[in-house]
Amino acid sequence: MKRFVTTVLAMASLAAPLAHAQSEPAVTVYSSRIEQLIKPLFDRYTKETGVRINLLTDRGGAIAERLAAEGEGSPADVLLTVDMGNLWSAAERGLLRRIESPTLDGNVPANFRDPGSRWWGLSRRERTIFFDPSKLKPAQLSTYEDLADPRWKGKLCLRTGKQTYTQSLVAMLLVKHGEEKTEQIVRGWVDNLATDVFTNDASLLQAIAAGQCEVGIANTYYYGRLISRDAAIRDKVHLFWANQGADEGGAHVNLSGGGVTRHAKNPAGAQKLLEWLSSVEAQSGYTHGTFESPVNPAVEPDDIIKGWGIQFTPSPLNAADIGAKQPDAIRLLDRVGYR
Ligand code: FE
């Protein structure tokens, strides 16, 4: 297992406003979000409020395991993680506490938060279809489900089923279609693979650019990252919003998000920090460096994101319902031999 990286982000610094100095207790955040992306935002929070943030980062699964193993003795006040399956499972395992926050409820649309008020989405991560425009026209594409059709044989690229994003996409299909039909769809995908499943979305998108496959499914922010480094990718790989037809259910939207830990020593400070992260003021800082979309509808996404078009219908399914199907999705993927 990777070693934990602990960083005291800002000691009671001279930059902190005097009125706040030493008055407010620090907030300890366990995060599976990359440190370099979130640190500047936390530094800003410390500068504005005087509240120190202790940050510990690791992969999503590992950080939740650590929180669970520490139990009552855990120093963590906030858990930040990615993927609705991880958020759901953290709540299910009793790692998060229920809090009342009209601010969070006001900033985060209802389908992007826990109905039990234990976690809230903080960024949206759309997972949709990408294709090679030299080989396909958008009119030939329609839905995730359609990619199971035999006419896509040898043309489809997918990410490994061992990864939570694939599991959440299949969990979404389970909520939508039930077990039998979802199994048919996933079997169809596996039959259509152009090559072995990919360990990450970036190499999948590059495989489309290289002509290895005609079509694939990936998170939009990986596309954003590639474009930000090499604008030519935009011509080699195009984005297609999946499932936009009237009865097709909308494109799959995953989340990063967080909640206050069950054994938080500073729950009030934890809640304030989460509320701030969902605010108009912080949402661009939280999402723009990552090419994710703000969860707060009052905030505009990054220009690169606007470049590929943000007019699309997202799936209205509740993130918690999809998260709850994650264990079934994992079993299904195993059963059909999706590696
Ligand atoms: Fe990712």
Side-chain angles (χ1 to χ4, degrees):
M1 191 185 295
K2 197 170 91 181
R3 278 185 49 207
F4 292 100
V5 185
T6 310
T7 311
V8 176
L9 276 181
M11 309 302 286
S13 84
L14 294 172
L18 269 182
H20 297 294
Q22 293 169 358
S23 55
E24 306 236 19
V27 177
T28 298
V29 178
Y30 279 16
S31 168
S32 65
R33 230 170 146 68
I34 301 168
E35 184 177 340
Q36 72 199 58
L37 292 175
I38 203 156
K39 185 181 179 322
L41 198 59
F42 284 169
D43 284 345
R44 223 174 88 198
Y45 187 73
T46 301
K47 209 168 172 186
E48 284 175 22
T49 63
V51 176
R52 280 188 303 124
I53 296 176
N54 305 314
L55 176 66
L56 187 143
T57 58
D58 202 340
R59 286 177 24 252
I63 206 96
E65 285 314 318
R66 178 170 179 133
L67 186 59
E70 288 171 344
E72 273 180 54
S74 177
D77 299 305
V78 170
L79 174 69
L80 292 182
T81 191
V82 297
D83 193 274
M84 45 185 47
N86 288 332
L87 288 162
W88 173 85
S89 121
E92 196 63 13
R93 296 171 72 185
L95 301 178
L96 303 175
R97 69 168 71 187
R98 183 186 167 87
I99 56 167
E100 300 279 334
S101 171
T103 303
L104 279 163
D105 289 351
N107 287 341
V108 182
N111 58 323
F112 298 137
R113 53 180 153 92
D114 176 28
S117 300
R118 293 162 299 180
W119 53 263
W120 286 261
L122 292 170
S123 62
R124 296 171 25 163
R125 322 175 109 205
E126 293 90 6
R127 191 158 189 82
T128 193
I129 296 173
F130 290 87
F131 67 99
D132 177 347
S134 74
K135 295 185 182 131
L136 293 177
K137 301 239 174 308
Q140 293 168 267
L141 294 161
S142 59
T143 63
Y144 307 108
E145 290 87 340
D146 174 67
L147 296 176
D149 188 282
R151 75 194 153 87
W152 296 111
K153 198 163 188 75
K155 296 177 177 174
L156 177 64
C157 278
L158 291 174
R159 185 166 181 167
T160 173
K162 307 270 180 272
Q163 210 272 337
T164 51
Y165 306 155
T166 304
Q167 295 161 4
S168 284
L169 178 66
V170 171
M172 185 274 285
L173 294 176
L174 279 168
V175 174
K176 206 169 146 188
H177 299 300
E179 198 82 29
E180 198 179 322
K181 184 163 177 203
T182 303
E183 184 165 330
Q184 260 173 34
I185 295 163
V186 178
R187 277 190 198 284
W189 286 353
V190 172
D191 286 346
N192 288 342
L193 287 177
T195 180
D196 279 348
V197 290
F198 289 82
T199 54
N200 63 76
D201 284 6
S203 40
L204 185 154
L205 291 168
Q206 271 155 342
I208 297 176
Q212 206 181 351
C213 33
E214 294 187 12
V215 63
I217 299 173
N219 285 1
T220 58
Y221 63 86
Y222 290 102
Y223 187 52
R225 281 187 210 170
L226 289 179
I227 290 175
S228 74
R229 281 184 227 128
D230 172 15
I233 289 280
R234 211 192 274 274
D235 302 322
K236 296 179 192 158
V237 182
H238 283 190
L239 180 150
F240 179 85
W241 287 118
N243 295 58
Q244 297 300 289
D247 307 318
E248 291 169 359
H252 175 53
V253 177
N254 207 324
L255 300 170
S256 84
V260 180
T261 62
R262 162 168 283 185
H263 301 295
K265 309 296 179 287
N266 181 9
Q271 179 166 341
K272 270 192 201 158
L273 176 63
L274 284 173
E275 287 171 347
W276 185 77
L277 289 174
S278 74
S279 71
V280 168
E281 192 194 349
Q283 276 276 289
S284 1
Y286 192 84
T287 57
H288 283 203
T290 59
F291 306 109
E292 295 165 293
S293 310
V295 79
N296 185 329
V299 180
E300 297 231 337
D302 185 273
D303 283 340
I304 282 189
I305 294 184
K306 288 190 203 154
W308 65 63
I310 51 171
Q311 297 303 320
F312 74 98
T313 306
S315 161
L317 297 176
N318 188 285
D321 293 337
I322 297 174
K325 286 286 179 193
Q326 196 97 344
D328 290 340
I330 293 169
R331 280 190 289 273
L332 189 153
L333 286 159
D334 233 34
R335 195 159 69 234
V336 307
Y338 185 136
R339 287 178 298 152

